[in-house]
Amino acid sequence: MSTSAAQSELRLVVLGRAGAGKRSVVQTILGLQDSEPGTEAAVVQECSKHRGEAAGRQVVVFSSPPWFGSGCDPEERRRHISSFIALSSPGPHAFLLCVPVNQPADAEAKALDVLKELFGPSAVSNNTVVLFTCTEELAEDEPLEEYLVTWRKDLRALVERCDDHYHTLETRGGEAEQARAVEELLEKVEQAAREGGTPHVSCALYLEAEERVRETQVEIARRRRGDDSRPEDNITEEEMEAVRDEAERSVDLNVNIESVFPSAVSPSSPAHASSLWGWWEKLKAWMRWLPMMVRVESLLGSLVSLFMGGQYGGMVGATVGSVATEVGRRKVKKTK
């Protein structure tokens, strides 16, 4: 990638758990259609890279599988992290963390921990935007900000860690309103970069990735020429750019994830999140049948916390309590 090209592009890395709406985010930003072949598989299964234009800007959107989830194989996790770093080198202008408003935020809190550990605190505070999804769950007359402040302290905590950088691309209007939502997102990304004092995420990992990518570009360009004796200076930027995508996908970084994802974890830790999600779904179904939940939400949250145990149980219990409050509030509202 030439220096001028790197400076003119706006690079966005889309992250999120399975079902968080990453595919829809990529399509909305770049104006893609659901029917375009290969879009869903590319966004969901492997790290992907999509170029296009949005709100008058050249945009590159990178999407990564949910490597921060507890069910991800350690080697697969390392491979996914290495892949999205190499693809988004020399560094993204923003990480877009897709967060469903109808789910507990424990997985997303872990994702922010990982971003901080890998790329430094500024990557979270300056370069991460919480992108809320599944907002159709909210009442039509309920602003997102009001919902966060009143009912979801766990989601509000995510926003505060990202220095209040949050947005949603989901609108109830037509194409014009959606286009405006995309433009506002890009404006927020650019403003956050200006306030942070750096054009994009820059750290040791991204410096190493860019160096490795450049070296690989030279190797591939020489191989295509069929003359390994030519010095690097004789390889033009056009030749380098022509093999950029291939070089990015060839680089495998030795990312140390042991300190971020320890192999040995306690029973009360997020490693058991997959089994806990089953309980969460049952609790949500149960809450639909409790019209007086608004009076017993604290009790329900306490029971969940006691049942699960540990710090993680406490977090889930608190979230269940807040969601129970919301369910009860809306049932009361509908009966008025």
Side-chain angles (χ1 to χ4, degrees):
M1 178 186 304
S2 66
T3 303
S4 59
Q7 291 175 344
S8 62
E9 292 178 335
L10 198 60
R11 296 181 295 279
L12 308 172
V13 174
V14 179
L15 303 173
R17 69 171 76 184
K22 296 191 298 292
R23 177 171 64 95
S24 177
V25 166
V26 173
Q27 291 174 334
T28 300
I29 292 175
L30 296 177
L32 303 177
Q33 301 298 320
D34 285 340
S35 59
E36 292 193 20
T39 303
E40 180 172 7
V43 172
V44 175
Q45 300 299 329
E46 295 291 340
C47 296
S48 60
K49 179 177 181 178
H50 309 268
R51 274 194 170 90
E53 183 176 325
R57 301 163 176 85
Q58 294 300 313
V59 178
V60 188
V61 184
F62 312 88
S63 183
S64 175
W67 43 261
F68 51 83
S70 61
C72 190
D73 175 77
E75 176 55 29
E76 187 177 62
R77 174 183 288 125
R78 187 205 63 78
R79 182 173 60 82
H80 287 325
I81 293 175
S82 170
S83 179
F84 91 73
I85 292 175
L87 287 176
S88 59
S89 174
H93 294 84
F95 295 105
L96 305 181
L97 180 60
C98 298
V99 180
V101 298
N102 60 349
Q103 298 287 352
D106 52 285
E108 288 74 24
K110 177 61 178 177
L112 293 183
D113 292 339
V114 174
L115 293 179
K116 178 180 177 180
E117 184 72 20
L118 291 175
F119 310 118
S122 64
V124 174
S125 60
N126 298 339
N127 301 102
T128 299
V129 177
V130 176
L131 200 59
F132 286 112
T133 62
C134 302
T135 57
E136 69 276 1
E137 298 288 337
L138 305 182
E140 290 189 13
D141 59 346
E142 183 172 36
L144 178 58
E145 173 64 22
E146 179 183 327
Y147 175 74
L148 299 179
V149 172
T150 306
W151 308 108
R152 296 299 303 275
K153 294 181 179 179
D154 56 333
L155 299 182
R156 184 63 200 167
L158 294 179
V159 171
E160 291 174 352
R161 291 182 64 181
C162 299
D163 200 23
D164 282 341
H165 300 140
Y166 75 97
H167 193 63
T168 182
L169 293 176
E170 298 173 350
T171 67
R172 301 181 191 273
E175 292 183 4
E177 188 175 339
Q178 193 167 69
R180 179 56 187 163
V182 172
E183 184 175 3
E184 289 175 352
L185 171 63
L186 302 186
E187 289 173 353
K188 288 181 179 181
V189 168
E190 293 171 337
Q191 180 180 353
R194 288 194 300 269
E195 292 174 351
T198 56
H200 57 75
V201 175
S202 182
C203 62
L205 268 176
Y206 270 110
L207 291 174
E208 177 189 354
E210 182 64 13
E211 182 179 356
R212 293 277 302 279
V213 169
R214 296 283 296 183
E215 291 173 352
T216 307
Q217 284 177 280
V218 172
E219 294 173 1
I220 297 174
R222 285 177 174 172
R223 187 166 62 247
R224 287 190 176 183
R225 281 181 169 184
D227 185 356
D228 293 337
S229 64
R230 291 182 179 272
E232 178 181 350
D233 291 345
N234 288 342
I235 297 178
T236 66
E237 281 297 328
E238 288 74 14
E239 288 177 292
M240 295 281 279
E241 183 65 20
V243 299
R244 175 79 189 194
D245 289 345
E246 181 180 350
E248 289 171 346
R249 295 195 175 278
S250 301
V251 168
D252 185 15
L253 300 171
N254 186 23
V255 182
N256 181 10
I257 63 173
E258 284 299 318
S259 60
V260 188
F261 298 95
S263 55
V265 291
S266 64
S268 61
S269 72
H272 289 256
S274 58
S275 61
L276 296 181
W277 281 119
W279 284 100
W280 169 250
E281 292 300 325
K282 291 178 181 179
L283 284 169
K284 287 199 298 182
W286 183 40
M287 285 188 288
R288 296 190 186 102
W289 298 95
L290 294 177
M292 301 303 293
M293 185 60 70
V294 68
R295 299 180 182 177
V296 297
E297 69 277 357
S298 297
L299 175 60
L300 178 59
S302 299
L303 288 174
V304 173
S305 177
L306 179 64
F307 177 80
M308 293 182 176
Q311 180 179 3
Y312 185 60
M315 290 191 302
V316 176
T319 301
V320 169
S322 64
V323 174
T325 301
E326 172 68 355
V327 171
R329 182 182 70 88
R330 295 188 181 188
K331 286 184 177 293
V332 171
K333 185 175 180 180
K334 288 180 180 179
T335 60
K336 290 183 179 180

